[in-house]
Amino acid sequence: MDSFILINTGNINELLSLNGLWQIGLIVLTWLIAQFANRYLQQSLYSKYREKNPLFHKLLKSISFQLVFAVGLMLASIIYAAISGQHSLLGLSIAIFSLGIMTINIINFGISITFAKHTRFTRINNLIKIALWILLICWATNLDAVIADNLSQVNLVFGKTKISVWLMIRQLGLVLIDIAIMLWINNIIDSWIKHARELDANLKQLLSRITKVVIVLVGIYVLLPTLGINLTALSVFGGAIGVGLGFGLQKIASNFLSGFIILLDKSVKIGDRIIINDTTGVITQITTRYAVMQAFDGSEIIIPNERFITDTIINQTHSQNDISVEFLVSVGYTSDLNLAINTINECVAAIENIRQDKAPSVYIKNLGASGIDIFVRVWPCDSLNESNLVRNKLNIMIVEKFREKNIEIPFPKLDVTLTGSDNK
């Protein structure tokens, strides 16, 4: 055959010859044998991986027939050539085509596993599969050379520069392939980092950022020479970026570097409870430019990384998770203060959610206008999750005990004195 399985008059005549019919029969027979062999392998050999390694089992299931068919067809073509003395180019071509299909399945399997959690990649994966099939068919039928020759003769003019359509398509393809490889490698490394139990959250974030920067730089370094761009020309571009950072992008650069600093010194970590602008919340994410704090009302607050370096932030869980609950209890001036303090201590001892190994603080704090303020500080067993529960239980019990012991809880009073002569 003239060129692979390109359909032309010579190839069709050869297919209709006795040698061609023998090759077609050999291909059909090999296909039937491959079907039975693949079914046997699926039931006996591959089944043991179904529970031990389901991903590997899924991969074998998607490529096993193409692999068995290609190997069988190559062996059959070699045997046919040894017996008949004629080469089975059609059989070898179909075997290579089957290996191409297997390669497409492997690529799509890798993409689907890598981007399994990103639903938007489902459609992209289907487009990639269609594009790979088109490329395989064009290569198998030698249409790629025909298309390349025709598109190379079509030029687009940009001023004094002429660029062929084929060159633009090829360069665009290289860019897309480079981006796809970078995304694939980045997702694999990110998955490994996220599942590494020996690494803390901050170190995972830091490694993930460094990995992304390195992958992008390496991808650009590999891609630019392929596109015919001289790397030395980037020195001027780098100088322009430096000037831009010095003027308009200094805030972005500051936040970017601050993100690395807070990840290294661990002043703020994912899961820390912080107070900023009188708002309390938990850090849920630290990105390149900002951190996300989720407040207790469910709202998410975006905090630039620079603020964690330049401003004072209250981190309630920086080195330990013991956070006290503090409030005031007012009693009347006619109340027995010792009885009130002892009653509060009894209430603290009766609540199981309060730590008893750390002594509570109960003392007179203020002599108010309407009553005497008693300061109360206790330590919840789980301060991150039970602070409001402890406050609620303790307030209810104090009110009930004060009522039982006739301890007055005052309310604001205002004495009005009327002066002057009586109205007549």
Side-chain angles (χ1 to χ4, degrees):
M1 304 183 108
D2 293 339
S3 56
F4 205 42
I5 57 173
L6 178 65
I7 300 175
N8 55 36
T9 306
N11 289 345
I12 293 175
N13 292 332
E14 186 173 346
L15 284 176
L16 297 178
S17 66
L18 182 60
N19 179 40
L21 294 176
W22 273 109
Q23 292 185 51
I24 293 174
L26 188 65
I27 293 170
V28 173
L29 179 61
T30 306
W31 184 85
L32 293 174
I33 295 174
Q35 288 283 358
F36 286 105
N38 179 60
R39 186 175 300 176
Y40 171 77
L41 291 173
Q42 293 281 359
Q43 295 175 353
S44 60
L45 183 61
Y46 301 155
S47 59
K48 66 180 182 179
Y49 295 107
R50 184 178 291 111
E51 296 180 357
K52 295 181 180 179
N53 195 335
L55 289 179
F56 186 62
H57 175 265
K58 186 177 180 180
L59 175 62
L60 287 176
K61 189 175 180 181
S62 65
I63 67 172
S64 59
F65 173 74
Q66 286 82 15
L67 181 60
V68 172
F69 179 56
V71 173
L73 200 53
M74 287 181 181
L75 293 175
S77 299
I78 294 173
I79 295 172
Y80 175 79
I83 295 175
S84 65
Q86 296 180 345
H87 296 292
S88 180
L89 295 179
L90 179 61
L92 292 174
S93 300
I94 298 297
I96 296 174
F97 191 80
S98 180
L99 291 176
I101 297 174
M102 184 186 72
T103 304
I104 291 176
N105 291 337
I106 293 174
I107 293 174
N108 279 274
F109 177 81
I111 294 174
S112 62
I113 294 300
T114 305
F115 303 102
K117 297 182 180 180
H118 303 274
T119 54
R120 65 179 182 274
F121 280 100
T122 303
R123 294 183 178 179
I124 297 177
N125 191 21
N126 293 332
L127 292 176
I128 293 174
K129 180 182 280 189
I130 294 172
L132 290 174
W133 268 101
I134 293 173
L135 290 175
L136 179 62
I137 294 173
C138 290
W139 173 72
T141 57
N142 210 30
L143 283 175
D144 57 336
V146 177
I147 295 173
D149 290 338
N150 285 278
L151 292 179
S152 297
Q153 300 175 10
V154 180
N155 295 319
L156 297 177
V157 180
F158 299 95
K160 297 181 179 180
T161 305
K162 290 184 179 180
I163 302 176
S164 67
V165 174
W166 173 247
L167 179 61
M168 292 183 62
I169 294 175
R170 192 186 69 175
Q171 305 292 60
L172 178 61
L174 290 174
V175 172
L176 294 177
I177 292 172
D178 186 72
I179 293 174
I181 293 174
M182 286 193 295
L183 289 174
W184 181 63
I185 295 175
N186 180 66
N187 275 270
I188 290 177
I189 297 177
D190 264 354
S191 178
W192 175 80
I193 292 174
K194 289 179 181 178
H195 292 88
R197 297 181 179 179
E198 65 275 9
L199 303 178
D200 60 29
N202 272 33
L203 186 56
K204 288 181 180 180
Q205 288 281 334
L206 183 61
L207 289 176
S208 178
R209 287 190 192 177
I210 294 174
T211 300
K212 289 178 181 178
V213 173
V214 171
I215 290 174
V216 170
L217 291 177
V218 172
I220 294 174
Y221 183 80
V222 172
L223 179 64
L224 292 181
T226 307
L227 298 177
I229 299 175
N230 190 357
L231 293 177
T232 57
L234 294 178
S235 58
V236 178
F237 182 68
I241 292 179
V243 174
L245 290 175
F247 290 96
L249 303 178
Q250 56 181 345
K251 283 292 183 182
I252 296 176
S254 176
N255 287 318
F256 181 79
L257 295 176
S258 298
F260 280 98
I261 292 173
I262 62 178
L263 288 175
L264 284 172
D265 63 18
K266 298 181 181 179
S267 57
V268 178
K269 306 181 295 296
I270 294 176
D272 280 356
R273 191 161 91 171
I274 67 172
I275 300 176
I276 184 169
N277 294 338
D278 296 327
T279 302
T280 305
V282 177
I283 296 295
T284 58
Q285 187 180 4
I286 301 176
T287 68
T288 305
R289 189 180 62 84
Y290 58 85
V292 179
M293 183 184 78
Q294 186 172 27
F296 294 143
D297 61 357
S299 60
E300 291 184 323
I301 302 172
I302 308 300
I303 307 171
N305 290 332
E306 185 184 19
R307 293 199 59 183
F308 294 103
I309 305 298
T310 58
D311 297 348
T312 300
I313 306 295
I314 300 176
N315 189 341
Q316 295 183 317
T317 56
H318 177 61
S319 58
Q320 46 83 30
N321 294 334
D322 285 339
I323 305 171
S324 64
V325 171
E326 301 175 355
F327 56 93
L328 295 176
V329 177
S330 294
V331 298
Y333 276 96
T334 59
S335 301
D336 187 338
L337 297 180
N338 290 324
L339 178 62
I341 291 175
N342 291 334
T343 301
I344 293 173
N345 284 322
E346 290 175 7
C347 295
V348 171
I351 296 177
E352 59 183 7
N353 303 93
I354 296 177
R355 293 180 58 177
Q356 303 302 323
D357 57 332
K358 297 189 73 169
S361 297
V362 183
Y363 57 86
I364 304 297
K365 186 173 184 178
N366 295 316
L367 299 178
S370 301
I372 300 173
D373 296 329
I374 301 176
F375 176 81
V376 181
R377 178 192 290 124
V378 296
W379 303 89
C381 296
D382 185 0
S383 56
L384 294 181
N385 301 311
E386 296 181 350
S387 294
N388 291 330
L389 175 65
V390 167
R391 188 188 302 273
N392 187 55
K393 283 186 175 182
L394 193 53
N395 278 322
I396 292 174
M397 188 173 291
I398 289 173
V399 171
E400 291 177 349
K401 292 294 183 181
F402 276 16
R403 288 174 179 172
E404 291 177 6
K405 299 181 179 182
N406 294 321
I407 300 174
E408 180 190 2
I409 299 177
F411 54 87
K413 296 178 180 179
L414 180 64
D415 293 333
V416 179
T417 303
L418 298 177
T419 61
S421 58
D422 297 337
N423 295 326
K424 295 181 180 180

